[in-house]
Amino acid sequence: MKLLRPGAAGAKQPGGALDAHPETRIVNVQIQTLVADTRAALNSEGELIGDPSTTTPRFELFSAASSICSQKVRAVLAHHRLTYLSHMMNLFEGQTYLPAHVRLRMLGCKQMGTKLVDRHTGSTSVASGGGCDAAVVPTLVDWDAGTVVVDSKRICRHLDEAAVADGARSLRPVHLAAAIDAELDIIDNLPNYQMLSGKPPGEDRRPPTQRGKNGVDFAMGKVERCDRYLAEFADDEVLVRGYTAKRAKELSAAQQLFTEERMQEAYVTAEAACQVLERQLQAAKSEWLLDDRLTMADLCWGIELLRMGNMGADIFWKDDKRPAVAAYAARLRELPAVQSAVVNWPGALFS
Ligand SMILES: N[C@@H](CCC(=O)N[C@@H](CS)C(=O)NCC(=O)O)C(=O)O
């Protein structure tokens, strides 16, 4: 891995080659400014991941080490060996709320065409969660297309399509697309926020850095962060919309998600998903869950099962409880893309 200085003499600026499409170029200039502001706020020049000879990587990714949504995107990038400029954000220091980043995502949310999410269902899904969140990661910039892409599921598909256009084999082949999407929806709807931040029913098996936490303080910290930004940027219509929706979402999380009853429900949901997976794996006649070739569903399950294991929820499949899930989780963990996006990515697993 090599440090790349996008502004260095002789280096072509990402996003500079869009002269043929004036309409796109206007958006692109806006993206360029917001990306430059976000980099400056993070004090990050970015780290080039992939081919070290690349001077103008097509993709630029803002992600967080431990974010499960970011991990899925990094795994697809790694699987397809796509080169990108990576900027890391610290979720616990609230870096995803930086105004330039929120403005950047507001462009992506607009392009996605969904409203801003203002309540928390416990899942990270845009479809069932009620919309787009302007203060989270991952955020992908595609300099060739002149777009900012938000939502991990959309980003993974976008990257897969880009790789396929370059001759790669798809992780989401057309004949399996519906089945893969159904798996991605199941995974996207799992209560990862609750299992990471809330107190589990019974013994707290989370790693020491998370153990004992009840979720409410974390969510209220986000509400307070939004309040500070709302006071500071009261005249900025775009930021006010972004932070107001996020504030409402996290307030609903603090008030509703982490009660004993909701935490019980979350664990029941997660275990039920493992039971469905066990049955599917037992019945599968293919090498992987849906095919003889690895699909996006396998990659995302790999990341989900690693997270569950990291939170101590591997009791759902350990000790012969669900042997097919246990074997699948162990196999997925060894995939080079999962190793590089999570297992060997500094800070990706909680200790
Ligand atoms: N639907 C979005 C959800 C993204 C999301 O919820 N990201 C979380 C980490 S997995 C985040 O950045 N949280 C920071 C916060 O809410 O403060 C996606 O899949 O990309």
Side-chain angles (χ1 to χ4, degrees):
M1 290 182 203
K2 174 178 130 188
L3 210 62
L4 181 104
R5 288 184 178 76
K12 218 170 75 181
Q13 275 294 339
L18 290 159
D19 296 355
H21 303 286
E23 326 86 303
T24 317
R25 195 167 153 210
I26 293 165
V27 177
N28 189 261
V29 168
Q30 199 179 2
I31 294 174
Q32 264 185 342
T33 308
L34 293 176
V35 168
D37 290 351
T38 310
R39 288 180 192 156
L42 286 173
N43 196 19
S44 165
E45 292 181 321
E47 185 179 9
L48 187 71
I49 311 282
D51 178 358
S53 68
T54 310
T55 51
T56 54
R58 171 172 173 181
F59 301 111
E60 185 154 350
L61 178 71
F62 295 90
S63 82
S66 63
S67 141
I68 189 160
C69 313
S70 302
Q71 292 171 358
K72 294 174 192 170
V73 170
R74 295 200 302 262
V76 171
L77 283 158
H79 173 87
H80 281 310
R81 296 172 196 270
L82 293 167
T83 297
Y84 63 105
L85 190 61
S86 164
H87 302 274
M88 298 315 294
M89 288 185 157
N90 187 325
L91 289 187
F92 300 93
E93 287 174 9
Q95 288 183 322
T96 58
Y97 296 68
L98 288 169
H101 181 244
V102 170
R103 288 195 185 100
L104 184 67
R105 285 189 65 87
M106 287 293 275
L107 288 182
C109 289
K110 192 171 166 195
Q111 196 168 44
M112 182 158 65
T114 51
K115 71 176 188 73
L116 296 172
V117 57
D118 56 8
R119 71 195 163 91
H120 212 309
T121 59
S123 86
T124 53
S125 162
V126 165
S128 63
C132 189
D133 188 325
V136 293
V137 279
T139 307
L140 181 85
V141 177
D142 178 341
W143 290 115
D144 278 9
T147 51
V148 46
V149 191
V150 296
D151 187 41
S152 54
K153 212 158 56 162
R154 290 176 73 244
I155 299 174
C156 290
R157 279 182 64 172
H158 183 91
L159 292 169
D160 189 58
E161 282 160 19
V164 169
D166 252 5
R169 181 183 292 276
S170 179
L171 279 168
R172 188 178 168 274
V174 177
H175 69 291
L176 292 171
I180 293 169
D181 291 350
E183 294 301 320
L184 299 187
D185 282 344
I186 292 171
I187 296 164
D188 219 10
N189 280 313
L190 288 172
N192 287 309
Y193 187 25
Q194 284 159 293
M195 292 175 77
L196 170 68
S197 306
K199 224 173 152 322
E203 190 185 335
D204 192 344
R205 295 189 172 80
R206 290 175 297 167
T209 51
Q210 290 302 108
R211 202 170 300 151
K213 293 185 179 170
N214 66 10
V216 176
D217 296 344
F218 189 40
M220 282 311 292
K222 298 181 189 190
V223 171
E224 283 154 23
R225 184 172 297 119
C226 288
D227 282 337
R228 287 196 295 276
Y229 279 121
L230 280 166
E232 193 178 343
F233 294 97
D235 296 332
D236 187 317
E237 187 266 329
V238 172
L239 290 183
V240 166
R241 278 197 295 122
Y243 291 127
T244 302
K246 179 64 170 173
R247 182 189 190 283
K249 175 182 170 184
E250 292 301 335
L251 187 61
S252 82
Q255 288 171 341
Q256 294 159 22
L257 276 191
F258 304 109
T259 61
E260 251 181 75
E261 198 187 350
R262 291 294 298 276
M263 287 303 300
Q264 178 77 39
E265 261 173 41
Y267 274 76
V268 167
T269 302
E271 183 160 14
C274 289
Q275 178 56 22
V276 173
L277 182 61
E278 175 73 14
R279 272 199 243 107
Q280 271 178 289
L281 288 165
Q282 302 260 8
K285 297 198 167 39
S286 46
E287 275 289 300
W288 296 98
L289 181 62
L290 302 171
D291 198 16
D292 283 336
R293 294 185 182 273
L294 189 85
T295 69
M296 208 179 277
D298 299 305
L299 270 189
C300 292
W301 268 120
I303 285 159
E304 178 61 46
L305 294 171
L306 253 179
R307 166 57 66 86
M308 281 196 197
N310 195 200
M311 292 301 121
D314 48 359
I315 44 159
F316 294 156
W317 60 81
K318 265 187 359 194
D319 299 331
D320 242 9
K321 194 160 180 203
R322 295 193 174 92
V325 173
Y328 186 53
R331 223 176 135 206
L332 291 169
R333 192 183 202 281
E334 297 311 315
L335 287 172
V338 173
Q339 287 279 313
S340 93
V342 190
V343 180
N344 293 327
W345 193 282
L349 294 172
F350 290 86
S351 49

